[in-house]
Amino acid sequence: MLDIFDILGPVMVGPSSSHTAGAVRIGRMARTLLGAEPVRAEIGLHGSFAETGQGHGTDRALVAGLLGLKPDDLGIPDSFAIADNQGLAFHFHTVSLREAHPNTAVIEVSSADGKHLTLQAASTGGGRIRVDRLDGVEVNFTGIFNTLVIRHQDVAGELSRILNELSVSGINIANMRLCRDRRGGDGLTVVETDQRIPADALERLRAVYGVLTVTYYEKED
């Protein structure tokens, strides 16, 4: 059964939900997961994004998202000028990825205080996105839920401690995935939740033994 979003599509600045609205959301996701205001971005475009993205405004949409704009913001066409005024330097190039969605971007972004993030995400249609990789680790989440990205040590009982903090806060888990680079190394747990995560719960999660960083993406209203 289709919902009203499937029929009408997102409220956005056009011309394309995939190349514009989805691209804005990819940029916003990279900004949020970086956890700081970006000052530099290296943006790789794959497939259709590379071939027709400039004509569809994909490049301006991605930069708009990095600036924190939403898909319905009238400033999207002027994002390059806004980025220049706000001190965001960016560069586009073409990438060729194996088995990637044709509307895929790879964004390497950094902040003035030294934070760095590499995100690979696809615009899957109707303004929706899917994050496929974070800092080289394969993931799979969409941003349609409130989403926690928790980096932690791969030690016994770590996931149980994280889930206990969410339970104490009355947070219901919609989806969850645990990834790691190697046994005993660093883990990456992505938790999609039905409820918004209150600030005090985020602070308790950050204080859990073995947790390195906690990043929270709150879904759009």
Side-chain angles (χ1 to χ4, degrees):
M1 178 180 295
L2 297 176
D3 60 25
I4 192 67
F5 184 87
D6 294 312
I7 297 169
L8 296 179
V11 177
M12 66 173 201
V13 173
S16 164
S17 60
S18 293
H19 283 71
T20 310
V24 172
R25 290 194 170 111
I26 290 173
R28 279 174 58 84
M29 180 66 78
R31 176 189 176 96
T32 299
L33 297 183
L34 179 66
E37 185 172 346
V39 296
R40 185 174 299 278
E42 185 73 24
I43 305 169
L45 302 179
H46 166 78
S48 180
F49 266 11
E51 294 165 6
T52 65
Q54 187 172 9
H56 283 104
T58 303
D59 49 0
R60 296 181 184 276
L62 287 164
V63 171
L66 288 169
L67 293 168
L69 276 61
K70 293 185 177 182
D72 61 351
D73 197 303
L74 296 178
I76 291 172
D78 301 318
S79 64
F80 286 3
I82 297 171
D84 185 57
N85 289 334
Q86 294 189 8
L88 171 61
F90 57 89
H91 175 260
F92 288 91
H93 64 279
T94 299
V95 294
S96 180
L97 305 171
R98 293 185 61 186
E99 300 180 357
H101 190 284
N103 295 333
T104 293
V106 179
I107 303 178
E108 297 180 47
V109 63
S110 57
S111 66
D113 60 358
K115 292 182 179 178
H116 182 83
L117 175 84
T118 301
L119 173 145
Q120 178 180 319
S123 177
T124 57
R128 294 181 174 87
I129 69 170
R130 184 188 66 237
V131 180
D132 295 320
R133 299 184 74 86
L134 277 178
D135 292 331
V137 178
E138 184 177 348
V139 296
N140 186 336
F141 62 94
T142 63
I144 65 172
F145 293 98
N146 302 298
T147 304
L148 284 166
V149 178
I150 305 172
R151 299 176 189 273
H152 55 83
Q153 298 172 355
D154 180 31
V155 294
E158 186 66 11
L159 188 57
S160 176
R161 287 186 284 269
I162 291 170
L163 296 181
N164 180 68
E165 286 300 334
L166 292 174
S167 177
V168 167
S169 300
I171 303 300
N172 190 57
I173 296 173
N175 300 290
M176 184 180 71
R177 183 172 183 178
L178 169 63
C179 313
R180 63 181 186 177
D181 55 1
R182 68 186 188 283
R183 183 176 181 179
D186 290 343
L188 182 70
T189 295
V190 178
V191 183
E192 296 178 308
T193 69
D194 293 322
Q195 297 92 353
R196 288 181 168 85
I197 312 296
D200 59 334
L202 292 173
E203 290 307 310
R204 287 196 301 272
L205 282 169
R206 293 186 176 104
V208 169
Y209 171 80
V211 167
L212 304 174
T213 63
V214 175
T215 305
Y216 175 49
Y217 177 88
E218 190 164 281
K219 69 177 182 179
E220 295 178 22
D221 293 326

